[in-house]
Amino acid sequence: MANEGSSSLPAGGMIIEAGSSKKYKTGEWRAQRPEVDKAKCTDCLTCWIYCPDNSVMVKDEKMVGFKYSHCKGCGICANQCPVKAITMKEEGVE
Amino acid sequence: MSEPMAINGDMAIAMAWKQIDPDVVAAYPITPQTIIVEAFSDFVANGEVNTEYVCAESEHSALTICVGASAAGARVATATASAGLAFMWEMLYVTASMRMPIIMAVANRTLSGPINIHCDHSDAMGGRDSGWLQLFGENVQEAYDNTIMAFRIAEDMRVRLPIMTCLDGFIITHALERLEMLDDKTVKDFVGPFRPVRPLLDVKQPTTYGPLAMPDYYYELKYQVQASMDAALDVAKKTMDDFAKVSGRKYHLAEGYRTEDADYVMVAMGSTAGTMRYVVDQLRAQGKKVGAVKVRLFRPFPAADVAKLLEGKKAVAVMDRAMSPGTGSPLYMDVLQSISRMKDPPRVSNYVYGLGGRDLIPGQLTEVFQEIMANKGDRINFMGVRK
């Protein structure tokens, strides 16, 4: 629970800090998580283009995994992957 | 001060806006408000104001455009009535909660159905819980004066809330009455320059307006509106004091007429107040100890001021030009809460009247006084209805 009082919050709930969505860990919402099979992955980066939450991590032009702190598990990456290298797994299931 | 002129209430508001020259007006015409935006769009077309005038495709859109313009840093005005105000309902709450000091003229007209274009206050009462301040004018002069005071009250840094300047549809909007305008410079100096708070167009201070607030923040942000309403009582009082200095016309949040030694008092808002004072004078001439209270500021409700005017009275009749089927009407409920901690409170009765533009005849108010003086009448009465 937040503890700021009404009078210390910006008027009307304005957000007066740029880029604050980084602090909002939307990964908590996830019911299914994407997992990548790098043996199949061609690093085409289609998943990176489609991800609405900028949660596909890329290093040196290679797809290197997912940022689970912000991935909501929408499954768009798995749906778009042209070589079916991404699968959606139930959270909390081994 | 100009020479007195004969003008209707809608034109008086358009003239006040012209003197204030808001940055943006977005509106959709609806009877009996149409004259305001029609006249004002002429001022825009003729280059008499610098306002950006946006023709919206609906009232919901009109107020949404106003919110966007206000967040961008503009001084904004709009006008509506009846179904138009009802169609804005969702955005009324957004406007107040985002703390946009938008001024909206409301030409009070009843709500459908049956469809009817005439006066009552049910449209404004639909917005009474939205977080907007509400000023009610009695005549054309007050429609003009309330408009000028409204900009200053809304834009005060302690308030920063939107205001409805309400005037009775047709009775004030379309009737020619005497108006004394202030000169342009007096109005401009009184209202002062617009001071935006973190405008969206200021790229050096990036700001997000209207974000999501979950159960851990929603209540605190809603309470900000309450705190501003509390502050608004004092700001409105001081604004009315200052307005008296430039205009010679002294207004109060709630105004008593011959109440000092009265035993029986009638409370009303809007154009009825004049009729009420006429009836009070007639009964006073017969030796009856009666008085009247006109409530000018309905939101925030000046409970302490109203209680002071009603303290020690034997009975009070609250005249409501709106109804809340199944319970008492809005003004009655607020008068009751105002006196609820009083030691020996007066006997308060509610009289619903004038719905859908039904004429109010002075004799009917005389009968109401006679009824409360005789300790008669129900708690809630529907004056003049054919049952």
Side-chain angles (χ1 to χ4, degrees), chain B residues 62-75:
Chain B
L63 188 54
T64 306
I65 292 162
C66 289
V67 168
S70 185
R75 174 177 273 159

Side-chain angles (χ1 to χ4, degrees), chain A residues 3-81:
Chain A
N3 53 22
E4 296 103 314
S6 178
S7 60
S8 63
L9 293 170
M14 282 186 295
I15 295 174
I16 56 176
E17 179 190 356
S20 63
S21 55
K22 267 187 196 164
K23 295 180 181 173
Y24 193 16
K25 308 288 188 202
T26 48
E28 291 168 9
W29 302 5
R30 196 172 53 246
Q32 292 185 320
R33 71 181 180 280
E35 286 187 358
V36 64
D37 179 355
K38 285 303 288 182
K40 287 186 190 169
C41 174
T42 62
D43 291 313
C44 68
L45 303 187
T46 301
C47 54
W48 175 77
I49 292 165
Y50 275 92
C51 177
D53 275 298
N54 203 18
S55 293
V56 175
M57 296 189 291
V58 175
K59 201 177 177 191
D60 299 329
E61 300 184 13
K62 306 280 185 217
M63 191 281 184
V64 295
F66 299 101
K67 203 184 287 170
Y68 289 115
S69 56
H70 287 82
C71 169
K72 297 187 190 103
C74 68
I76 291 173
C77 54
N79 194 51
Q80 292 296 330
C81 179

Side-chain angles (χ1 to χ4, degrees), chain B residues 149-266:
Chain B
M149 292 189 288
F151 278 89
R152 184 142 133 195
I153 299 165
E155 293 171 9
D156 188 288
M157 287 300 167
R158 290 162 287 181
V159 180
R160 296 308 275 202
L161 285 173
I163 302 189
M164 294 182 199
T165 55
C166 302
L167 66 161
D168 286 353
F170 293 105
I171 301 165
I172 307 176
T173 60
H174 284 59
L176 288 181
E177 286 181 11
R178 183 183 192 279
L179 174 73
E180 281 180 26
M181 281 177 68
L182 301 172
D183 60 66
D184 294 355
K185 189 182 179 309
T186 305
V187 173
K188 283 216 161 59
D189 289 349
F190 184 81
V191 173
F194 185 71
R195 292 163 297 162
V197 176
R198 296 189 72 97
L200 280 177
L201 294 179
D202 180 358
V203 292
K204 287 181 185 153
Q205 288 194 105
T207 303
T208 302
Y209 271 96
L212 174 85
M214 296 302 265
D216 52 351
Y217 281 109
Y218 180 89
Y219 192 12
E220 279 66 31
L221 292 170
K222 211 70 200 177
Y223 184 75
Q224 287 184 343
V225 177
Q226 173 62 36
S228 294
M229 281 282 183
D230 289 342
L233 285 172
D234 197 42
V235 171
K237 240 176 233 175
K238 288 204 170 71
T239 303
M240 286 173 192
D241 289 346
D242 289 346
F243 190 77
K245 286 175 203 155
V246 299
S247 69
R249 294 185 288 275
K250 181 71 187 92
Y251 295 123
H252 302 272
L253 310 186
E255 288 159 15
Y257 182 72
R258 304 186 82 164
T259 49
E260 294 82 7
D261 64 334
D263 289 328
Y264 303 95
V265 174
M266 189 177 282

Side-chain angles (χ1 to χ4, degrees), chain B residues 351-371:
Chain B
Y351 288 84
V352 173
Y353 76 100
L355 297 189
R358 177 74 55 92
D359 275 337
L360 173 72
I361 296 156
Q364 292 177 303
L365 294 186
T366 309
E367 281 171 27
V368 168
F369 268 124
Q370 282 162 349
E371 201 161 78

